[in-house]
Amino acid sequence: MLGILRQRAVDGGLSTSFLRKTRSALVSARSYAAGAKEMTVRDALNSAIDEEMSADPKVFVMGEEVGQYQGAYKITKGLLEKYGPERVYDTPITEAGFTGIGVGAAYAGLKPVVEFMTFNFSMQAIDHIINSAAKSNYMSAGQINVPIVFRGPNGAAAGVGAQHSQCYAAWYASVPGLKVLAPYSAEDARGLLKAAIRDPDPVVFLENELLYGESFPISEEALDSSFCLPIGKAKIEREGKDVTITTFSKMVGFALKAAEKLAEDGISAEVINLRSIRPLDRATINASVRKTSRLVTVEEGFPQHGVCAEICASVVEESFSYLDAPVERIAGADVPMPYAANLERLALPQVEDIVRAAKRACYRSK
Amino acid sequence: MALSRLSSRSNSFLKPVTTALPYAIRRHVSTDTSPITIETAVPFTPHQCEAPSRSVETSSEEILSFFRDMARMRRMEIAADSLYKAKLIRGFCHLYDGQEALAVGMEAAITKKDAIITSYRDHCTFIGRGGKLVDAFSELMGRKTGCSHGKGGSMHFYKKDASFYGGHGIVGAQIPLGCGIAFAQKYNKDEAVTFAMYGDGAANQGQLFEALNIAALWDLPAILVCENNHYGMGTATWRSAKSPAYFKRGDYVPGLKVDGMDALAVKQACKFAKEHALKNGPFILEMDTYRYHGHSMSDPGSTYRTRDEVSGVRQVRDPIERVRKLLLSHDIATEKELKDMEKEIRKEVDDAVAQAKESPVPDASELFTNMYVKDCGVESFGADRKELKVTLA
């Protein structure tokens, strides 16, 4: 209940102190229209693909198990039955081949939505993502654009080990010519995936397996089939004035929990959900840091050369004189993902890590 | 070679008259589209299919156009060689001289709705698809009037309005891409096919087999064309392929081995393959061809093959000489006319080079253009991001 309250609170932009005083189900219900809907991220993604396929006959889905199996993670459930085998294609386990075919189809004007069962497998096809898709519009001076979406779960799941847990946000976001998106909530999932499918450029769409089953409130506006979120704009999930916390995907939930804990200690944290890793919304990040003077960047992926490093550099370059403390980075451990549950927990950022870093930035700890 | 003429004019009557008359009258014969049938010198070798007939339907006009187009391509590549040595072309430059019959023979069998995608050895393919010489030279010299506005270079020529999808630098990548274009053609019910061209070096790439498997499963109208010039850079086929019978590598996919230095044989094979692909899915063509230059301008091409081998092929199998012999033996043109034509072509190429040399380099602002179709206010940076920062509009 409180979890839902927090979600509703941040969406409505309520302040922390108001929350403390009026923590009741009745008030939270009054903040939104009666019977506010909830949606899982899975359903959000499914509905987004469904609506875009319905609206544009050029959109088609391909990937391993997307059709008859209903999707390895059920994201494409029901699409084969609804649209038939000419719109939903089950591929063999040959990423290099089917990704190249998807990119070629996009060259010729179709709008493929290519699923990687996880982004770990995208490495088998990465030449096509980078050299065949990302760079084509530039190399051809605009003759060959590539309206393709590469989507699938990214980052750590639970106990899947080193080869199935890597986050590719930093890898793909470093490439000019790609757009890289990372939704958090159901609204993010719908709005960003619809925008990605409609976009005439190649988009890498990084989902998170552990978020698929999570429910989020969703507005009527977000349920509309024309709903779209802008690419390149971050969302301020929670306003604050003492420290800025930037992150994306599953870590947004952790950052929000950390903000709650920090509020109990009198630290007001502003949580920014990046939504878009490339283009990175430097303007929103810097405006926030100029307000709070302190920054904690969080990501799940490997720390070296990561998204956090880019954000840190950007803030140091553009808002140096506003910083009252060194930038703090919370990222995955600098190790391949171990299997044992306790080690895995140590290898990933936890809420307490974010809290500790924020307190350090506020000079409230050793 | 067997020849059957359907014209009722006698050979001997024509001869004395035509030598006296100016070229304008002679033109009448050389634009003659009445069918001629020519037998290919080398038979086709089939795999999992019946070979097409060796008798190729053509016309005087077509054979003359082969000569003209191949001569133009040959001169273009030789001019590119000089420009590279003069340092006006930089980076990589992979020349196609020797392989011209592939480009012209294929064009004779297909339309501009059929798609072609190839490797980095793409200059002549671009010309074959209707690209202009001046656009090619401008691109090679990195000028803004180049076919890719100077942003691509030698390896990245494209002509989308003629269904030419490039120009690819990563060996083998163009094969799945080509199967993807074929996928789109089938999806859109275009009744067209895609020719995905690659070399003997690329023929071993895993992604070829991945794409071919999918193309066969989904009946895509994709034709894989192996331009076997016998060397993958410096490595001869016998050193890189356990089985160099590339036309058989598709296993369950039918294939054909073709004399790739014979433009008419290439035409016949492409026509045959297109008919197959439209009805039955993918097909493999192995074109036995040869490149006179090394792999690129950085490769002398003589460390892994003898000069005798190269000159031997030039003497016996040169595609332009073969067509010249055909034109002469069938009285379609005289030696002088062909030499005059070559002189004209040489001038045409020289003029294009001169024009390209005069064109300006791209504006500095072009560094940041064409990153995206939809820029959405993205920022991009130069080397010194505080000095050069651009908001893509």
Side-chain angles (χ1 to χ4, degrees):
Chain A
M1 185 61 208
L2 282 174
I4 295 168
L5 177 67
R6 265 199 290 280
Q7 295 303 329
R8 288 181 177 169
V10 303
D11 284 345
L14 298 172
S15 77
T16 337
S17 53
F18 179 67
L19 254 182
R20 268 203 228 109
K21 285 186 214 146
T22 56
R23 216 169 252 173
S24 77
L26 200 57
V27 174
S28 68
R30 272 202 210 116
S31 314
Y32 289 81
K37 293 211 176 77
E38 286 218 331
M39 197 178 215
T40 60
V41 170
R42 175 178 288 114
D43 289 343
L45 295 168
N46 182 275
S47 64
I49 301 173
D50 191 347
E51 285 162 23
E52 295 306 307
M53 286 181 77
S54 176
D56 186 349
K58 290 199 169 52
V59 177
F60 70 95
V61 170
M62 84 188 212
E64 295 154 13
E65 312 297 353
V66 296
Q68 284 186 22
Y69 195 87
Q70 305 296 318
Y73 299 101
K74 306 290 177 271
I75 307 301
T76 51
K77 184 166 189 230
L79 295 179
L80 176 64
E81 286 68 31
K82 184 167 178 184
Y83 294 101
E86 311 243 304
R87 305 284 300 280
V88 179
Y89 290 83
D90 281 322
T91 63
I93 311 175
T94 54
E95 277 77 6
F98 73 70
T99 305
I101 286 177
V103 176
Y107 281 3
L110 296 184
K111 309 194 82 172
V113 178
V114 176
E115 176 175 303
F116 291 117
M117 200 180 280
T118 75
F119 264 93
N120 299 284
F121 315 137
S122 73
M123 292 198 288
Q124 307 225 299
I126 199 165
D127 177 63
H128 281 298
I129 300 172
I130 313 276
N131 281 322
S132 304
K135 300 177 183 172
S136 280
N137 199 53
Y138 191 84
M139 291 193 294
S140 69
Q143 272 191 75
I144 314 275
N145 73 304
V146 192
I148 193 167
V149 176
F150 305 104
R151 54 155 292 274
N154 174 62
V160 293
Q163 294 179 340
H164 291 75
S165 304
Q166 192 164 331
C167 173
Y168 291 87
W171 282 33
Y172 290 122
S174 71
V175 180
L178 281 183
K179 292 172 180 168
V180 180
L181 303 176
Y184 164 61
S185 63
E187 177 176 308
D188 287 356
R190 267 186 63 78
L192 293 176
L193 187 52
K194 284 160 81 64
I197 295 173
R198 291 182 202 176
D199 200 278
D201 297 308
V203 181
V204 170
F205 194 83
L206 304 171
E207 301 159 7
N208 185 291
E209 194 216 309
L210 300 176
L211 283 176
Y212 284 154
E214 253 192 64
S215 254
F216 293 84
I218 192 143
S219 65
E220 282 304 318
E221 190 205 348
L223 285 170
D224 190 77
S225 65
S226 65
F227 179 65
C228 225
L229 284 173
I231 291 178
K233 285 268 159 291
K235 181 184 178 199
I236 299 180
E237 293 283 351
R238 179 189 176 117
E239 276 183 27
K241 56 179 184 49
D242 295 329
V243 58
T244 299
I245 305 177
T246 64
T247 189
F248 60 96
S249 189
K250 182 152 146 288
M251 290 291 124
V252 175
F254 282 34
L256 289 169
K257 290 200 181 90
E260 276 300 306
K261 289 225 161 75
L262 288 163
E264 286 164 21
D265 285 332
I267 296 176
S268 154
E270 179 148 290
V271 176
I272 299 182
N273 170 7
L274 294 174
R275 281 180 164 175
S276 180
I277 319 296
R278 185 177 189 103
L280 194 59
D281 190 351
R282 296 169 209 276
T284 298
I285 297 167
N286 277 282
S288 174
V289 172
R290 289 178 182 211
K291 183 173 74 169
T292 64
S293 311
R294 295 156 209 283
L295 176 63
V296 176
T297 65
V298 181
E299 68 178 312
E300 202 185 77
F302 295 140
Q304 192 164 333
H305 311 299
V307 176
C308 290
E310 174 62 31
I311 293 174
C312 173
S314 176
V315 163
V316 164
E317 281 163 356
E318 293 182 42
S319 309
F320 183 71
S321 54
Y322 292 83
L323 284 169
D324 283 347
V327 174
E328 296 282 348
R329 265 193 303 179
I330 294 297
D334 206 12
V335 299
M337 184 64 67
Y339 166 67
N342 64 322
L343 293 181
E344 187 177 46
R345 199 179 182 284
L346 283 172
L348 289 167
Q350 303 300 331
V351 174
E352 55 260 30
D353 294 311
I354 304 173
V355 169
R356 192 185 315 111
K359 284 185 174 170
R360 272 203 306 261
C362 294
Y363 297 121
R364 295 277 293 272
S365 63
K366 292 203 210 337
Chain B
M1 271 180 271
L3 168 69
S4 59
R5 246 190 216 267
L6 300 183
S7 160
S8 57
R9 286 166 296 178
S10 81
N11 214 4
S12 51
F13 174 69
L14 207 51
K15 259 205 182 95
V17 179
T18 53
T19 47
L21 286 171
Y23 184 73
I25 311 269
R26 195 72 178 82
R27 236 188 180 42
H28 173 66
V29 173
S30 61
T31 53
D32 188 353
T33 53
S34 51
I36 304 175
T37 308
I38 310 262
E39 280 261 304
T40 64
V42 175
F44 299 104
T45 315
H47 170 73
Q48 307 274 34
C49 67
E50 295 275 318
S53 161
R54 283 169 71 174
S55 303
V56 186
E57 255 202 35
T58 180
S59 69
S60 307
E61 189 202 24
E62 183 172 74
I63 305 175
L64 203 58
S65 78
F66 283 173
F67 181 85
R68 199 180 293 120
D69 293 340
M70 287 198 284
R72 187 180 291 120
M73 289 173 183
R74 177 68 58 89
R75 273 258 57 88
M76 171 181 73
E77 296 295 71
I78 291 175
D81 173 292
S82 304
L83 289 172
Y84 193 89
K85 287 170 176 154
K87 297 203 195 306
L88 284 164
I89 299 177
R90 305 176 322 117
F92 293 130
C93 189
H94 306 87
L95 300 178
Y96 204 71
D97 50 315
Q99 301 184 213
E100 299 90 348
L102 284 172
V104 304
M106 185 177 288
E107 290 296 338
I110 65 177
T111 71
K112 293 295 190 289
K113 272 190 72 185
D114 298 309
I116 301 181
I117 191 168
T118 188
S119 67
Y120 41 77
R121 204 178 298 280
D122 60 349
H123 308 162
C124 297
T125 314
F126 171 73
I127 299 296
R129 288 267 87 181
K132 301 217 291 277
L133 284 169
V134 67
D135 294 350
F137 286 122
S138 300
E139 187 59 35
L140 288 172
M141 292 194 272
R143 308 299 169 98
K144 77 194 282 183
T145 48
C147 50
S148 298
H149 299 187
K151 305 271 274 276
S154 166
M155 299 186 282
H156 305 296
F157 286 13
Y158 304 82
K159 199 174 194 322
K160 190 160 183 200
D161 59 11
S163 310
F164 175 50
Y165 289 91
H168 290 271
I170 306 298
V171 171
Q174 71 271 24
I175 299 161
L177 294 171
C179 292
I181 298 165
F183 176 95
Q185 289 171 323
K186 182 170 179 169
Y187 192 100
N188 291 328
K189 300 183 173 30
D190 280 350
E191 287 302 301
V193 300
T194 299
F195 289 83
M197 303 172 73
Y198 59 99
D200 45 282
N204 301 310
Q205 277 261 316
Q207 57 186 321
L208 184 157
F209 299 95
E210 294 190 13
L212 194 62
N213 177 46
I214 295 177
L217 274 172
W218 297 352
D219 289 314
L220 303 182
I223 298 158
L224 273 60
V225 182
C226 178
E227 300 181 90
N228 182 4
N229 59 20
H230 304 280
Y231 296 93
M233 201 153 128
T235 304
T237 53
W238 61 270
R239 289 176 64 218
S240 67
K242 189 71 177 170
S243 161
Y246 301 106
F247 68 111
K248 289 188 187 169
R249 292 282 207 84
D251 183 19
Y252 42 80
V253 171
L256 201 65
K257 185 162 170 173
V258 184
D259 176 4
M261 308 290 264
D262 179 348
L264 288 168
V266 170
K267 174 189 167 182
Q268 186 84 321
C270 291
K271 183 160 169 282
F272 181 73
K274 176 174 172 174
E275 275 160 25
H276 180 278
L278 280 173
K279 289 200 302 284
N280 301 322
F283 198 89
I284 299 183
L285 289 174
E286 180 187 334
M287 305 288 195
D288 185 354
T289 184
Y290 201 84
R291 53 166 164 79
Y292 297 140
H293 270 87
H295 164 71
S296 73
M297 287 303 298
S298 321
D299 170 25
S302 53
T303 59
Y304 49 86
R305 50 186 196 174
T306 63
R307 287 187 203 282
D308 284 345
E309 178 188 298
V310 182
S311 54
V313 173
R314 209 189 269 275
Q315 269 160 32
V316 176
R317 296 182 69 204
D318 185 85
I320 301 177
E321 291 314 304
R322 287 166 81 159
V323 170
R324 191 198 304 273
K325 285 197 187 86
L326 206 57
L327 290 167
L328 294 176
S329 66
H330 292 108
D331 278 320
I332 300 172
T334 64
E335 262 203 63
K336 181 176 186 311
E337 279 159 350
L338 294 180
K339 284 239 171 343
D340 286 345
M341 206 178 286
E342 284 176 292
K343 273 207 201 91
E344 263 177 51
I345 286 168
R346 195 175 182 136
K347 182 170 189 312
E348 192 191 336
V349 169
D350 288 346
D351 287 349
V353 170
Q355 195 188 334
K357 275 182 179 168
E358 293 304 305
S359 356
V361 295
D363 302 326
S365 60
E366 292 282 333
L367 183 65
F368 297 108
T369 56
N370 305 127
M371 194 91 66
Y372 300 109
V373 173
K374 195 170 163 200
D375 289 321
C376 56
V378 177
E379 283 175 328
S380 194
F381 305 95
D384 180 347
R385 55 211 284 140
K386 298 217 161 144
E387 178 70 18
L388 188 54
K389 174 173 153 172
V390 162
T391 302
L392 306 178

